Amino acid sequence: MILLKQITTMNKFIKFWLPVILWAALIFFFSSEALPPASRIYWRDFVVKKSAHIVEYAVFATLIFRAFINSGLQRKKAAIYTIVLSMLYGVTDEFHQSFTPGREPRIRDWIFDTIGAGFASYYLWRLLPKAPQKLKNWAEKLQLG
């Protein structure tokens, strides 16, 4: 009985928390690389790179929210903890970039990370329950609560 519970717990960890860890590792990997400009035109480069920050942290927050929800946390608490955890990881990511040649930490990047995590968390917490049934069914398949 104890072994079965441990196996179930390990399977739950692998299914819900391992994707969070792998996505964090991917963010860490990309932060370890110097990035060439996305465009020679400053505003285009800015838009591409800041959009990437928003998207990567929205995905990160979605994975964290999913893990919290499937660990038994209430939706509101899951959303709050998701934003906090994403923000903290964003700070460590910017700190990590201070050691990467060709990269530098920027508060502005952390703000864009937070915007992505905040948008995803808010959507999953408040808007998904009000979404059309087709979208809810898709979210249910992804186990987003």
Side-chain angles (χ1 to χ4, degrees):
M1 184 69 167
I2 293 173
L3 181 61
L4 183 61
K5 188 174 180 180
Q6 288 176 338
I7 291 170
T8 303
T9 302
M10 181 58 77
N11 286 342
K12 204 172 196 181
F13 174 82
I14 290 169
K15 188 173 184 176
F16 298 113
W17 287 102
L18 186 60
V20 173
I21 293 166
L22 292 174
W23 194 262
L26 187 67
I27 291 171
F28 184 88
F29 171 76
F30 282 118
S31 292
S32 300
E33 303 290 317
L35 290 177
S39 173
R40 291 183 183 179
I41 301 169
Y42 174 79
W43 70 267
R44 285 185 187 167
D45 182 65
F46 181 86
V47 168
V48 167
K49 289 181 177 176
K50 299 321 162 205
S51 297
H53 276 272
I54 291 170
V55 169
E56 74 182 331
Y57 274 81
V59 170
F60 187 51
T62 300
L63 293 171
I64 295 169
F65 184 87
R66 177 179 174 260
F68 279 140
I69 286 293
N70 287 284
S71 296
L73 215 55
Q74 294 174 341
R75 296 181 74 76
K76 184 176 181 178
K77 283 186 178 180
I80 292 168
Y81 293 168
T82 295
I83 293 169
V84 170
L85 189 58
S86 297
M87 290 172 69
L88 290 173
Y89 191 75
V91 167
T92 64
D93 181 45
E94 292 305 314
F95 179 71
H96 166 243
Q97 287 182 29
S98 69
F99 300 102
T100 304
R103 302 291 295 261
E104 58 187 45
R106 293 187 184 264
I107 291 175
R108 177 178 65 198
D109 289 346
W110 175 76
I111 290 170
F112 280 101
D113 298 342
T114 302
I115 289 169
F119 175 77
S121 298
Y122 182 78
Y123 179 82
L124 292 166
W125 167 47
R126 296 288 280 178
L127 301 179
L128 185 59
K130 299 173 187 174
Q133 191 58 45
K134 195 171 187 176
L135 188 57
K136 286 182 190 178
N137 292 341
W138 187 60
E140 191 175 307
K141 287 179 184 177
L142 295 173
Q143 295 180 305
L144 289 169

